[in-house]
Every structure is written in structure tokens, then in C-alpha cells.
Amino acid sequence: MDSEKHLTLVESLYPTVQRRTQSDRPAITVECDRLLELMQTLRDHAGLRFDLLLTHTAVDYPDENRFELLYLLYSTVHGTRILVATNLERSRPVAPSVCGIWPIAEWQEREAYDLMGILYDEHPDLRRIFLEDDWEGFPLRKDYQDSYMLELPK
Amino acid sequence: MGLVLENLPGLVERFPGGSVAITRLDETINLARSNSLWPLMFGTKCCAIEMLMATGASHHDLARFGAEVARASVRQADLMVIAGAIVKKMAPRMRLLYEQMAEPRYVIATGSCAISGGPFMYNSYTVVRGTDEIIPVDVYVPGCPPRPEAFFWGLLTLQRMIREGETIREPGVRRKPVMSALPDGVSLQEIRREILAALVEENVVDVAKASATKPWARKVREWIQKNTSR
């Protein structure tokens, strides 16, 4: 029940944060411009202490014209997890970088940039990490097209 | 010594105090080559677990076929087992590895991904559709991944190819005998029929038959009877 306690604590600190109901783990959604502030609190607040960023990834929803960024956090102090989500407009995928809070985010954000084309403000070294440096486009976007790819025949 | 002479291709004449063997140099060299293949440690995906680790371990034991000396350097290896999908970024590296291997060199492609791209054939931006677009492949072993036994059959096929198709008079040139990867006396139609029969058999669910041998089934039946009679 620690995670329930954490969720109510986060909600009392940030009233605009929404709890996600359709999720198999404690999860919250936050607006993009308050993300950095919330993340700093999640790591440093004595009752939360989410000191480990387990994973960071992005999901493409072309029908709803948005990218969803997901941050899975773990607290080694309390042994709980929390999923933080935020939405970006698809036409302007710029998000704040959390490298200053968890240094491991540097490579995870490079991966999200490489495959989804998310741009991170104040990232120290935003280069491609898996694909070649001269690759064009971002292959994990749903509308990615390539002269090499074969369409699955109907 | 007797064992060696018995397996030597050619004629062995026994004399008092020793024996004289008459054979062709090709055949002895091919015999030696085919029985001491040194594979390269090169695994790119899940097939490597099956092809290079499970087959190399004691249960299946690649050493029975003289191919267990896996080398970490291409310059010491002469067999490249492509175990897994090759992506566009890996393709030039693999070509380089192949070119660094000394002749005679052999390539076995194992698994769907290495043969054709497999599940990554369509809608993939990065997987190469078949490694034979990059380097020549001698033996294909189908499966996803193949059983170690299938890989052994591929290895035995390669050994047969080496024994029948090579000559030192034309170094680097290989007369590739086209041979079926199926064991003798087994036809493709037969395999298809067997697979179809097995699929049909597996899809018919006979609960009574399946549960007859299970010890818990009796308890379940008793429980149902007890609860429905009320």
C-alpha cells in the first residue's frame, strides 16, 4: 500500500496531476511544462525518493496526434514503482530532458530521439545511438516509410 | 592405428610387419577438412543459443562431429554459422569477417531470419532479407530456431559436400554438389503429410481421454457430482 500513499502524496503536492485508472501499476499523467519540476520532487522528496529511472520510452498515437512519453521510476528506499506519463504534440515533439535528475536518462533519451524523433531540451549530447548517423527519418513512428521496406501483401 | 586405416578412403594392403595404403590426396585432405571444422563464435540472435551454445554443450555435444573448437577470431576459423538475423548495420561487418576467413571457408545459415529475413521480411526497416545476398551460403538449416539435431544434419550435409565436392587441384574453386537436405528415404510429401496429421491430432481436444490418466481428474469429477446433486 506504499504506492497508494505515494500517489496521494503526489496528488496533494501537484493538484493538476491525473491518476491513470486503466493501468496495472501506479501511474500518473502530467502536463509537459510541469514534468521537470515533478520529477525533481519525485526524486528528492523524503516521502517519495524515486532514485532510479528504470526505463524511458515513447509511444506514437498518430490518430490522436500525440506522442506519449513514459518514465518508469523505482524507489530503492521504499521498494515501490511509479509510471509517469506526459503527452507531446505530434507536430512539435519537444520535451524537457531529465538528464540532470537521473544521468542514465542521457542514453534512454538518445534512444527515444533515434527511433521516435523526440527532441529534448538541454540534452548534453543528442545524437543517434542505434542507427547510422546519416539515417533519415525515425523508424518507430507509425507513418515511417522507407525505400527498403516491403509492404506486407494483403 | 587400425581405426584410422579402416576409415581411410582408398585401398589398404596388409603386409607382415605393417600396411600400405593407396589413396587419392583429395580424399584424405577432404576427410581431414570435413572432420575438423572450426566454427566462428558469431551469434547475432536467439538461434545462437541453440546453434552455438546448446549444441556445444555436453547434452548434444558438437564434439562428436569434430566441430567443437569455436574460435573467437575469424583468422583461426573456417566455418561461419550465421545464427540469427543480420541487420543492415551488421551486414558490412559480416562481409568483412567472411573475407578475413582463410580458404577453404564454409557458411551455414541457420533459422528463418538468416535464410530469408523470417518474420522481419515485411515492414522492417533494418533486417537483411537473407544472408545469401551478402555472402555465399553452403547449407541452409530451416527452423525458428532449428533443433540441435537439425543443425547436426546440416553439419553432416556440409561434411558430405566437402568430401564429395573439393579438389586441391583447383584451390578456392568448389564444385558444389546439389544435395537434398533430407535424410535418405524421406520425401517432402511424407513430411508434409506427417505434419498435417500431427496438427489435426493436436487440434482435436478430447477432454475425457486427456483427463482419464490424470490423478486430479477423478477429484474434479467427484466435486462436480457432489455439487450438482444438491
Side-chain angles (χ1 to χ4, degrees), chain B residues 30-31 33-37 55 60-67 79 81 106-108 110 138-141 147-165 177 179-184:
Chain B
N30 287 348
L31 185 77
R33 275 180 182 169
S34 65
N35 285 313
S36 67
L37 293 165
T55 56
H60 294 287
D61 199 7
L62 197 56
R64 290 180 291 158
F65 308 100
L79 169 66
V81 182
Y106 312 101
V107 178
I108 298 181
T110 61
D138 293 304
V139 176
Y140 298 89
V141 181
R147 290 274 314 165
E149 291 87 339
F151 175 67
F152 286 151
W153 187 258
L155 194 74
L156 290 172
T157 309
L158 180 70
Q159 289 186 346
R160 207 146 56 93
M161 277 173 71
I162 295 168
R163 278 201 282 271
E164 292 177 17
M179 42 181 72
S180 157
L182 297 176
D184 295 332

Side-chain angles (χ1 to χ4, degrees), chain B residues 185-203:
Chain B
V186 178
S187 71
L188 203 58
Q189 282 77 19
E190 214 171 326
I191 292 176
R192 282 204 188 116
R193 210 162 47 233
E194 268 182 35
I195 289 175
L196 197 66
L199 282 176
V200 169
E201 196 182 342
E202 275 177 17
N203 277 312

